[in-house]
Amino acid sequence: MDLVSTFPDEILHKVFSFIANSPTMIGPSICHTLRPLSKICANEIDSKIGLWELCSKDLECDFYRKREHDVVGAEALPIKSIKRVRTAPDRRSSRLQPASPKDTYIKKYSLLMLRNQTAFDVLQELVVSKKKSLSLARLRSLLREFRPVAINRRVRSGGTYLVEVTRARHVKESIILKCVRHLVEEC
């Protein structure tokens, strides 16, 4: 299909950044809209290394930054996640490595969703615990520990971070309000 091969990777990425709700959804929206058109189109998209590298960079942030803060925001975002996220050292066997740029993106996307689910599970424990209850400091350290976390995404268990914070037990309403304000304004 000439449509995919004629456009540079940056233009395709920019077009899909307008289609997707958040940067983490650019890759899935490419797969769900362009790949089903034909086998030729799917093969061309799968082999576009630059496009999948751009999509992989978008997994570091779950929201679109404002234009006037792009330069400042890019320096403030963490490039690498913490050590706890790494589950195993990188294997060197070519058989175990992703075969294409799309497979590399799928692996990174899966790690983001796993990290998101793990952070949500820890948040659920804080919300229902009486001994170690939710506080603004604990929420901040949780988000810092598992970053980047896609807080605007629903996790597999069906909840969102905002709903889970509002369900907190054994906590004053002022603390819940501070946590909600942190999630809405700062994350």
Side-chain angles (χ1 to χ4, degrees), residues 114-133:
L114 177 67
R115 187 171 47 243
N116 200 26
Q117 180 67 46
T118 306
F120 186 77
D121 292 341
V122 172
L123 179 64
Q124 281 182 324
E125 291 174 10
L126 289 175
V127 164
V128 298
S129 175
K130 191 171 188 174
K131 292 181 180 178
K132 191 176 178 183
S133 61

Side-chain angles (χ1 to χ4, degrees), residues 16-30:
F16 278 95
S17 68
F18 290 112
I19 294 172
N21 293 339
S22 70
T24 57
M25 292 301 294
I26 291 175
S29 64
I30 289 171

Side-chain angles (χ1 to χ4, degrees), residues 94-107:
S94 61
R95 180 179 57 85
L96 299 174
Q97 293 297 322
S100 68
K102 183 187 72 132
D103 292 337
T104 304
Y105 174 81
I106 289 171
K107 181 180 177 184

Side-chain angles (χ1 to χ4, degrees), residues 23 26 34 71 78 81 84 100 102 112 123 141 157:
I26 291 175
L34 281 182
V71 176
S81 56
R84 182 177 179 171
S100 68
K102 183 187 72 132
L112 174 70
L123 179 64
S141 68
S157 58

Side-chain angles (χ1 to χ4, degrees), residues 19-83:
I19 294 172
N21 293 339
S22 70
T24 57
M25 292 301 294
I26 291 175
S29 64
I30 289 171
C31 288
H32 292 299
T33 54
L34 281 182
R35 289 192 80 243
L37 294 177
S38 70
K39 286 184 178 181
I40 296 171
C41 182
N43 290 336
E44 287 181 10
I45 289 173
D46 291 351
S47 64
K48 285 190 158 286
I49 297 171
L51 178 64
W52 293 111
E53 286 176 354
L54 289 169
C55 291
S56 294
K57 288 179 185 176
D58 289 331
L59 292 178
E60 296 174 2
C61 185
D62 188 39
F63 57 91
Y64 288 114
R65 285 180 250 133
K66 296 178 182 174
R67 292 290 174 209
E68 55 267 11
H69 300 295
D70 266 351
V71 176
V72 178
E75 295 172 352
L77 282 175
I79 295 174
K80 292 184 179 178
S81 56
I82 61 166
K83 292 180 182 176

Side-chain angles (χ1 to χ4, degrees), residues 160-173:
T160 62
Y161 287 85
L162 190 60
V163 171
E164 202 61 34
V165 165
T166 58
R167 288 185 38 208
R169 299 183 213 160
H170 315 293
V171 178
K172 293 181 182 179
E173 291 175 2

